[in-house]
Amino acid sequence: MTNISGASSGSSTTRRGRVVGVPMVCWCGAEIVGKISKSDPNPYRRYFRCAFAVSNKLMDDNHVFKWVDEALLNEVDRLSSEAKRLEQMVRESEIVFDGAEYEKMVFDKVLMKVEEEVFQKVESVVSESQRYMKKRMIVGIVVLYDRCWVREFHMM
């Protein structure tokens, strides 16, 4: 794994572990950059490399290096396996909706959404009413206090 990309093939490993798929960050925390090989064995072959290793021109180090074509093949294999796993789950679950079950499911979802909207509107009205009542109570207390003060002032 050199910065001039002399390695022709093989799995992309580092001393920190094997990189499967398209690398996102290096073990050191640096981002991954795309580069193009200028070596004789691999001219113009694209690869992923740790930005720290690139900026410091490190060679034969343990920072991430992976050929783009290998990384993409890893991703295709991973996605293919995931698709097979999901297909198997669907087959095993045997979810079969007839017309009535589907309509009931849709109705339940719509009903839940309507209930949520009504609940939110009721909460809004209640909180507005509470604010209004607090204001009225404060005004009432101020008026009562003012009247009591005026009576005491006139009685003196």
Side-chain angles (χ1 to χ4, degrees):
M1 289 190 286
T2 66
N3 196 32
I4 58 171
S5 310
S8 61
S9 66
S11 64
S12 299
T13 58
T14 66
R15 290 184 193 112
R16 303 286 178 172
R18 179 168 160 68
V19 177
V20 179
V22 176
M24 301 309 228
V25 295
C26 183
W27 63 265
C28 69
E31 67 180 19
I32 301 298
V33 294
K35 302 294 285 178
I36 299 175
S37 172
K38 295 178 178 95
S39 67
D40 289 336
N42 296 294
Y44 306 107
R45 189 174 177 191
R46 295 180 178 273
Y47 63 96
F48 294 114
R49 186 73 169 122
C50 169
F52 174 80
V54 170
S55 66
N56 292 306
K57 298 182 181 176
L58 299 178
M59 295 174 31
D60 295 326
D61 58 88
N62 60 348
H63 292 271
V64 171
F65 170 91
K66 182 137 191 176
W67 295 113
V68 169
D69 54 328
E70 290 176 4
L72 295 178
L73 285 174
N74 288 156
E75 287 293 318
V76 168
D77 290 343
R78 186 186 64 77
L79 291 173
S80 176
S81 298
E82 182 68 11
K84 287 178 185 174
R85 187 184 67 78
L86 290 172
E87 286 174 10
Q88 184 64 30
M89 284 176 55
V90 169
R91 269 189 244 116
E92 289 174 0
S93 66
E94 296 179 6
I95 299 174
V96 178
F97 289 109
D98 65 8
E101 286 179 20
Y102 180 74
E103 286 177 12
K104 182 181 181 330
M105 184 182 73
V106 169
F107 176 77
D108 290 343
K109 284 185 178 183
V110 169
L111 181 63
M112 186 180 293
K113 187 173 183 175
V114 167
E115 286 175 349
E116 282 180 20
E117 289 176 5
V118 168
F119 179 73
Q120 288 174 350
K121 287 180 181 178
V122 167
E123 267 189 344
S124 173
V125 168
V126 166
S127 84
E128 183 63 35
S129 297
Q130 287 175 340
R131 284 194 296 273
Y132 177 77
M133 289 302 292
K134 284 181 183 177
K135 287 179 185 176
R136 286 292 180 194
M137 288 176 66
I138 290 171
V139 168
I141 291 170
V142 168
V143 168
L144 283 174
Y145 178 75
D146 189 43
R147 287 182 183 169
C148 289
W149 185 77
V150 169
R151 279 187 196 161
E152 284 184 30
F153 183 72
H154 287 308
M155 293 175 94
M156 295 176 136

